[in-house]
Amino acid sequence: MSTKEGESSASDVSAPASTDQKTGDADETSTLPVIDVVKEPPSQPTDTPQESLDDSRQQTELQPEASQPEAALYPGIGGNDGFISAATMAGMSVPSNGESSGLALNADTSTFSSILAELDDIGTRLGSDLQYGSNGGPVPVSVPMPPPFGAEGGMVPPPPPMGPDGVPLPPPPPPGSSLAMDVSIPGVDKRIVVKSNAKFRPFHWQVVPNKDILGSFWATCRDLVETIDHERFAEMFAIDETDSSKLKIQREQKKLLMETSKARNIGIFLSGCKLTVAQISAKLLATEQSSTLPLESIMQLKRFQPTQEDHDVYKKYTGSVNDLQDVDQFMIQLCAVPKLSQLLDLQLLVQEFPLQLEEMGPIVQRCIKACQEVLSPSFRVLLEYVLAIGNFINGNTKKGTAYGVRLSTLNKLMSVRSRDRNYTMLHYIVETVTPVFPDLKELPSTMQHVRECAELSLFSLSSEVDVMEKDLNKIVRNAELLAEKNPSPEETSFRDQVMDFADVHREQLKEIKLSSKAMVSQYREIVALFAESKSMDSDELFGYINDFLGKLERIISQEEAKRVAEMKAAARREEERERMEYGGKGDDGSGPPKKPTRKGKRPSREGYLEKLSGGKHRSAKWDRRFFQLSNLGSMNYFKKEGTKMLGSIYLRGILLELDNEDKSIISFAADDRQWQLKAPSVDEAQAWLTDMQYYS
């Protein structure tokens, strides 16, 4: 060290202020922390605190008395009582036993050199590379002393990390030790210590905050961690890092020839398939449902079957197959399966064809019934009334009269409203046509198949039947090609089974094809009958009718509810009139006689009867309906029990009698029409008649 550097070091260090020094003066002076030496009183008194402070501000060098020997100023040098560090000798303030402070060392070059020489001599004598601290203890050279906190070049350590509840977290375990967690809560008389050498996947529980533990069950519950069989639990639940790392290394070492995305999809398929290529090949040559591959697996195999590009890639590969990943090995084995593409196509057709056949048959039959419902006389009668009312409205307008209308006109009946905007043309038709044509109420239920087929295209269905016929021919052709060149016994057997399959389903397809032709023929008849466009498909035409039937059903329901409410109101008025007429009068001649009363409660009855329906527009027939005689005197009827009510007959004032020829038939006239209800037996008819006559 040069003289100038020594002077700088000495001038930057000042003696610490005494205990009676003012706080303000102490703040103005920046002093380095002191490293204590062996407590031995100095032989020479130090400067006063104020003098030391002034000398520090003037950056003057403090000189020890010349009469003092060097050994007295630096105790421990050349002796065994203790040693001071080289840093202290370089110019730090050296307090003694606390009685006096302010002694500073001269840091000139000669003194510092002699100190270093003396320390080297001590290290040589001891035979060890040691530094000695202020307490005289050895410190290994390999671990240098850290700079004192607050000194120049020093660092204040960060505070320990805090837990979620403000409690400092415990320090991490030292390297190489087992995982140990010591959890404690202030105020809880127990500590939870968990030690484990194994690693587990985390258990995602919901923890009670530490601040809520006190006063709860958890503060006093027992710690049973030590009762767990640690070895067995670790054996069952611990993460096997060895096997996973080996598997990862093994995967990294193996090659992948195909694209990553395709390899991932094939890997997903293999994880669910659990079949070898040999087993897959055997199942492709079977026709029994229990022996073949599932339809989903066949579709996935068609998606992943090797292309010509895949064949070329694997042919060029000259390495070992075992060096490839599982998906590549699987693809290489698939490339070796003979006629794979033909087998997959054939299996797909064989498995899909019965499902298509089973689904197509009922759909075609429903469409045929829908066509028959549109051609029914009831629907034609409705169109006659619509045309008549339309001509009456437009007769004196620019629109004029018409001989016919498009079926789309049916949905415009709701747009013609009365003056009060609450009554429409469809309301009028229901109100006026129903008494002369009662079957109008049942039209929405009798045309149910039209409503079911409103979104189906008959032309598309007919085309699908033609495609099915082509698929069946393709099945036969592929089976013949499969066994054309050097077939194996398995391939020959498979071809014979496919031929039998085709013969059985060809007969079923022939029936469906005939029904499909009849369906198209009837639909063309509808188009011609109502003068609609020949290019109009059934989903459009049936859609018009379906929308109209929905509106008609809603209006009929509203009108029926209104009629029932009016009947109930009329019945209440009649009862009130009779009560006012006969009520409060005795039989002693003082007033009008009381109305005779009937004993027992008002009768009610329900069950199935046959109703004769028909008229001048259709042939008469017996329809089975569910009837309900209510205690309000009305006869309600439904298509089936639990369904929507179709109509109601108010019995008061109606003449009821049994038919002269068939005593199981009840005849009466109501609502401007003749009714005939047929019971299953004569006794039941008599029981119904008796109860109905109670109200008539």
Side-chain angles (χ1 to χ4, degrees), residues 67-219:
S67 61
Q68 289 290 337
E70 195 172 52
L73 288 175
Y74 313 118
I77 298 180
N80 294 327
D81 295 334
F83 304 96
I84 60 175
S85 67
T88 306
M89 302 248 181
M92 286 187 176
S93 300
V94 185
S96 59
N97 58 0
E99 297 177 357
S100 177
S101 62
L103 178 63
L105 301 180
N106 188 5
D108 60 6
T109 306
S110 59
T111 304
F112 192 76
S113 300
S114 62
I115 291 172
L116 294 178
E118 185 67 17
L119 288 176
D120 291 340
D121 183 66
I122 293 171
T124 303
R125 291 199 305 270
L126 294 178
S128 174
D129 294 334
L130 299 176
Q131 290 180 350
Y132 294 87
S134 60
N135 59 354
V139 179
V141 175
S142 58
V143 183
M145 294 182 62
F149 297 137
E152 186 174 353
M155 175 181 282
V156 178
M162 307 299 287
D165 299 314
V167 179
L169 295 177
S177 63
S178 63
L179 179 64
M181 181 172 289
D182 187 346
V183 181
S184 62
I185 300 176
V188 179
D189 190 19
K190 65 174 180 178
R191 300 175 69 86
I192 302 176
V193 181
V194 180
K195 297 181 179 180
S196 175
N197 292 323
K199 290 186 178 181
F200 303 94
R201 291 183 176 87
F203 173 37
H204 299 286
W205 56 9
Q206 292 180 334
V207 179
V208 177
N210 290 349
K211 61 183 179 64
D212 298 335
I213 294 295
L214 282 176
S216 69
F217 157 78
W218 304 108

